[in-house]
Amino acid sequence: MIMMLPFLTSALAVWYGMLGKRRPCFTLWLATLLMFVAGARLHLAEPFILAL
C-alpha cells in the first residue's frame, strides 16, 4: 500500500495542474518528491544483498 502513495500524490498533482490550481499542484509535487527521497535514502543506505 505504501508503494501506491507516491503514485496517488503525483496523479493528484497532475489533476490539480490540469485544473490550473497551482498551490495544491506544487504542494503535492513536493510531497511526492520527498517520499521518493525518503524511500531512496532507506534503500541506498544499506548494501545490496543478492540472495541466490
Side-chain angles (χ1 to χ4, degrees), residues 11-29:
L12 282 173
V14 169
W15 180 259
Y16 280 122
M18 288 180 3
L19 291 176
K21 298 183 178 187
R22 186 174 293 180
R23 173 100 36 175
C25 175
F26 181 74
T27 304
L28 286 167
W29 175 82

Side-chain angles (χ1 to χ4, degrees), residues 26-42:
F26 181 74
T27 304
L28 286 167
W29 175 82
L30 189 61
T32 304
L33 181 66
L34 291 175
M35 280 185 253
F36 277 125
V37 168
R41 189 179 63 84
L42 286 174

